[in-house]
Amino acid sequence: MRPIVLGLIAACALSLPAFAAEPDGPSELINQPEALRIAVQGRLAEKTPSRKTEQVALLDYYSVPDQPLIWVDENGLNARAKSALAEIAKADDYGLRASDYALPKPEEFDPLDAKSVDWLADAEVKLSYAVLDYTTDARGGRLDPQRISGENLDPTLTLPNPAEVLGSIAIRSDSGAYLRSFQPDQPQFELLRQKLIEARGGGKAPEPAKPDVVTIPDGPVLKYGVADDQVVLLRKRLEVPADAGADERLFDKAVYNAVRQFQLAHGAAPDGVVGAGTRRMLNNQQAPQARPVNNSQRIQQILVNMERWRWLPHDLGAYYVTVNIPQFMLYVVEDGKVVHSTRVVTGKPDKQTPVISDEMEEIVFNPYWNVPNSIKMQEIAPYFGGGGGFFGGYDTSILERHGLRIKLGGRDVDPDSIDWSRNDIRNFDLVQPPGPTNVLGTVKFLFPNKHDVYMHDTTQKNLFAETVRAESHGCMRVQNPQQLALLLLHHDQDWSEANIDQALQRDDNHVQLKTHIPVYITYFTLKVNDDGSISTFGDIYGHDARMAAALSGKPVYYQEPATDSDVVAGQWTERPGTKRKREAFDNDFTRALFGF
């Protein structure tokens, strides 16, 4: 039916000049809402392939008989239009760009001009498109994440429905407030917005009131159990008064917890120890020899991180789990407050942890590890190279050394009985049973997704002591996973430690969550702290540079990670732009079974 409707609309538009010639003057024509509505329809009927969704929504809206126009009347732009224009003019303060939106200019309207109807029709269409563009940018961002880094940036965007936007804004008196509601309403986004205004010097942003900062001078390392005069200063700085009658010089549990929370908030390792680095943060001092960030770079950092907030839903949920990849930290948040935090290991730069949103559905105790095809092909297939391969024959002993089993149709198969020059390893199941050497450890947390990534325990506990923890094949290894499992299952099913101990008595024990828990894997490289200071985290995957270039309208290039098709029957194919070398296979594999 729609082609017929469009044809009728176009026919009406084509007949408009003859219809419009009858009134005595422009003012009489302006007072004919139906003529103006038909003029709007005529403009909308013009083909605009890149605006198909918006065009259909606008045509549907204006095709309704007696449908009032949204933005104009006989006096030009109405109050609703002026409110929308004022809000869009402030787009730069929200990390968008006002110049991206083609807007009508009120001062150009002349009601006595013979072409007044044309101007009003153009203004109605132009502002409608601008509003739809603005709401899409405000809610979902200016960039297509996958054009920045392929499938590594794969958030679930919830973009506004153009028809719903038009229907809602048409009945609202304060259209500016309605447009503003599409901006992220998370506190961190607002703090970033204020920092952006401040960095641009476009007006002094209101800052949260700050108490006088107590300075902690150079001195001994302060840690749990130590008694020192500087602990008194530390208490004042962190607002941790001593209990009545207690020694305020003592670094007790309350001080320890306060120091850890401060370190977490500032992106430092939460060890609860006040050494030189934590002293500098407490005193708002820059680390020595730190590379200064100029104002232009800071603005870019703020803009790309504001853009990332648009990749998350407006309502994150009352209870959720989030990982910040560059910070190598996991947080559990309840009612807007962090109730648990722990370190994680994330993917290497060439095996990146993807940015995604999903829901945790189950927790598995003593899991089997089913080796994914990517690791079969990139890490194991080279050992099975045909005709002697890289390592002189079919070296299947690597499977036995790491407790891996080859299965076909659910039955064990002797790997030495297979001619690997004629068989594709992807047609076989490769499994590692539960046990002390299982790379997934004792617990894994599943939120099914197309990237086949999840959170799990690890046998490589030493990596949690590292500052930079980009060492996995994409999954997230969690420090103290049993503690995380207890927290989540206590929330979901009122579990106790005894329940966890009992669950660990069985292999491959799947526990379904009664209520799925939102999981957000994010990539924030800059954070504004409650005291107004800024914490930054390394751009380990190079997303910042590509996003900044794209936001500036520059071309973006990235190297796709290798895929299964790059390795065929154990033969590695070099791809343009990749630096992977065959010699790296053995080192990758033997380092605690891929460091998965």
Side-chain angles (χ1 to χ4, degrees):
M1 292 296 292
R2 179 163 280 122
I4 296 175
V5 173
L6 293 178
L8 292 173
I9 291 171
C12 290
L14 290 174
S15 64
L16 182 60
F19 174 81
E22 294 179 4
D24 295 332
S27 60
E28 183 178 345
L29 182 59
I30 290 173
N31 289 325
Q32 297 185 31
E34 186 64 15
L36 181 53
R37 189 168 65 87
I38 292 174
V40 169
Q41 290 173 335
R43 282 156 177 77
L44 289 171
E46 298 172 1
K47 290 184 178 180
T48 53
S50 62
R51 309 301 304 273
K52 184 175 180 180
T53 302
E54 296 90 342
Q55 184 183 22
V56 168
L58 287 166
L59 281 168
D60 286 346
Y61 177 84
Y62 289 106
S63 66
V64 177
D66 300 322
Q67 183 78 281
L69 299 180
I70 302 175
W71 311 112
V72 301
D73 55 30
E74 66 275 11
N75 298 312
L77 297 181
N78 59 25
R80 184 184 295 112
K82 292 173 183 177
S83 176
L85 288 176
E87 188 63 31
I88 293 174
K90 297 184 288 188
D92 292 69
D93 291 348
Y94 287 86
L96 302 178
R97 195 163 49 193
S99 60
D100 286 345
Y101 311 102
L103 301 171
K105 298 178 180 179
E107 66 275 10
E108 294 180 352
F109 175 66
D110 181 359
L112 300 178
D113 190 324
K115 295 184 178 180
S116 295
V117 172
D118 291 335
W119 190 94
L120 291 173
D122 287 338
E124 182 78 10
V125 172
K126 187 178 288 186
L127 188 49
S128 294
Y129 273 126
V131 162
L132 293 180
D133 288 343
Y134 183 91
T135 55
T136 297
D137 291 349
R139 178 61 59 86
R142 287 194 279 155
L143 305 176
D144 178 353
Q146 292 198 356
R147 295 187 66 181
I148 304 301
S149 191
E151 292 193 351
N152 291 322
L153 294 180
D154 192 25
T156 302
L157 301 182
T158 306
L159 300 178
N161 183 305
E164 292 178 1
V165 171
L166 293 171
S168 294
I169 206 165
I171 61 175
R172 294 174 183 264
S173 56
D174 190 349
S175 58
Y178 177 65
L179 293 180
R180 203 176 312 127
S181 71
F182 287 89
Q183 300 289 353
D185 59 358
Q186 303 300 325
Q188 183 59 208
F189 181 84
E190 176 60 20
L191 291 173
L192 287 168
R193 189 180 81 86
Q194 297 292 349
K195 284 295 181 183
L196 178 65
I197 295 172
E198 181 182 330
R200 284 175 167 165
K204 262 300 179 185
E207 296 183 0
K210 300 178 187 177
D212 293 335
V213 176
V214 177
T215 301
I216 313 296
D218 292 339
V221 172
L222 305 177
K223 57 184 179 180
Y224 184 71
V226 166
D228 190 274
D229 290 338
Q230 286 198 5
V231 176
V232 179
L233 297 175
L234 186 60
R235 287 181 179 276
K236 292 180 179 178
R237 172 66 179 87
L238 299 177
E239 300 180 352
V240 185
D243 293 336
D247 183 2
E248 62 178 354
R249 298 173 65 255
L250 179 64
F251 195 119
D252 59 14
K253 189 67 176 289
V255 176
Y256 171 78
N257 289 333
V259 170
R260 288 190 77 250
Q261 285 299 116
F262 178 85
Q263 291 169 327
L264 280 170
H266 288 74
D271 58 8
V273 175
V274 179
T278 300
R279 270 190 173 83
R280 284 193 294 270
M281 290 189 294
L282 288 164
N283 297 334
N284 291 332
Q285 296 173 347
Q286 194 175 40
Q289 297 181 346
R291 185 172 63 182
V293 177
N294 63 41
N295 203 52
S296 176
Q297 291 172 323
R298 180 65 80 210
I299 289 172
Q300 283 189 345
Q301 288 178 326
I302 295 172
L303 285 174
V304 298
N305 283 279
M306 290 179 76
E307 184 82 357
R308 289 169 182 142
W309 276 106
R310 305 183 196 280
W311 298 348
L312 293 170
H314 247 30
D315 183 4
L316 299 176
Y319 192 91
Y320 61 88
V321 176
T322 183
V323 170
N324 187 20
I325 297 169
Q327 192 182 6
F328 310 109
M329 291 295 297
L330 176 150
Y331 300 95
V332 179
V333 180
E334 184 172 15
D335 296 330
K337 295 183 180 179
V338 174
V339 296
H340 178 74
S341 60
T342 189
R343 296 184 179 192
V344 294
V345 174
T346 60
K348 303 173 185 178
D350 63 338
K351 296 179 177 63
Q352 299 176 12
T353 297
V355 172
I356 57 174
S357 299
D358 219 296
E359 291 186 335
M360 190 178 298
E361 299 182 7
E362 65 177 344
I363 298 174
V364 185
F365 295 91
N366 296 324
Y368 280 83
W369 180 40
N370 297 295
V371 182
N373 281 336
S374 59
I375 292 182
K376 290 179 190 175
M377 298 300 292
Q378 296 177 30
E379 311 294 351
I380 299 175
Y383 285 86
F384 297 176
F390 304 138
F391 305 97
Y394 304 138
D395 182 8
T396 61
S397 63
I398 194 70
L399 303 178
E400 182 179 354
R401 290 200 298 273
H402 294 285
L404 295 169
R405 297 176 184 172
I406 293 280
K407 290 178 175 288
L408 184 63
R411 303 176 64 179
D412 286 336
V413 176
D414 181 359
D416 292 325
S417 68
I418 300 170
D419 182 354
W420 292 109
S421 67
R422 297 176 177 272
N423 286 275
D424 189 332
I425 195 173
R426 289 172 291 189
N427 295 329
F428 297 82
D429 294 322
L430 189 53
V431 178
Q432 187 183 42
T437 62
N438 184 287
V439 297
L440 303 185
T442 58
V443 188
K444 71 175 178 180
F445 306 84
L446 296 181
F447 38 99
N449 57 83
K450 69 179 184 181
H451 302 275
D452 199 25
V453 297
Y454 44 90
M455 302 169 188
H456 62 83
D457 188 10
T458 179
T459 55
Q460 292 184 291
K461 308 291 188 183
N462 59 298
L463 290 177
F464 293 115
E466 300 294 331
T467 302
V468 178
R469 298 187 287 277
E471 293 290 342
S472 82
H473 272 60
C475 286
M476 291 140 282
R477 308 181 214 167
V478 181
Q479 190 176 31
N480 302 320
Q482 294 181 23
Q483 183 180 356
L484 176 62
L486 173 59
L487 184 75
L488 299 181
L489 288 169
H490 177 75
H491 169 79
D492 185 65
Q493 302 176 27
D494 201 28
W495 273 36
S496 66
E497 290 188 14
N499 294 118
I500 297 293
D501 291 339
Q502 185 176 5
L504 288 167
Q505 299 305 309
R506 293 170 50 198
D507 287 346
D508 204 33
N509 184 6
H510 292 244
V511 178
Q512 302 292 325
L513 294 176
K514 294 180 179 178
T515 302
H516 292 178
I517 298 173
V519 175
Y520 306 109
I521 312 302
T522 65
Y523 192 92
F524 290 110
T525 54
L526 184 145
K527 175 189 175 186
V528 182
N529 302 305
D530 292 339
D531 61 2
S533 62
I534 286 177
S535 295
T536 58
F537 313 105
D539 181 20
I540 56 173
Y541 297 159
H543 293 330
D544 274 14
R546 288 187 292 273
M547 287 183 65
L551 289 171
S552 301
K554 300 176 182 177
V556 176
Y557 304 96
Y558 68 92
Q559 294 179 352
E560 293 186 19
T563 63
D564 293 349
S565 60
D566 296 326
V567 185
V568 181
Q571 302 298 317
W572 176 257
T573 302
E574 297 288 351
R575 302 182 64 191
T578 61
K579 297 182 178 179
R580 177 81 175 182
K581 297 186 183 300
R582 296 183 307 189
E583 306 88 77
F585 282 137
D586 195 42
N587 291 335
D588 271 357
F589 191 92
T590 55
R591 190 171 65 182
L593 198 56
F594 331 125
F596 185 71

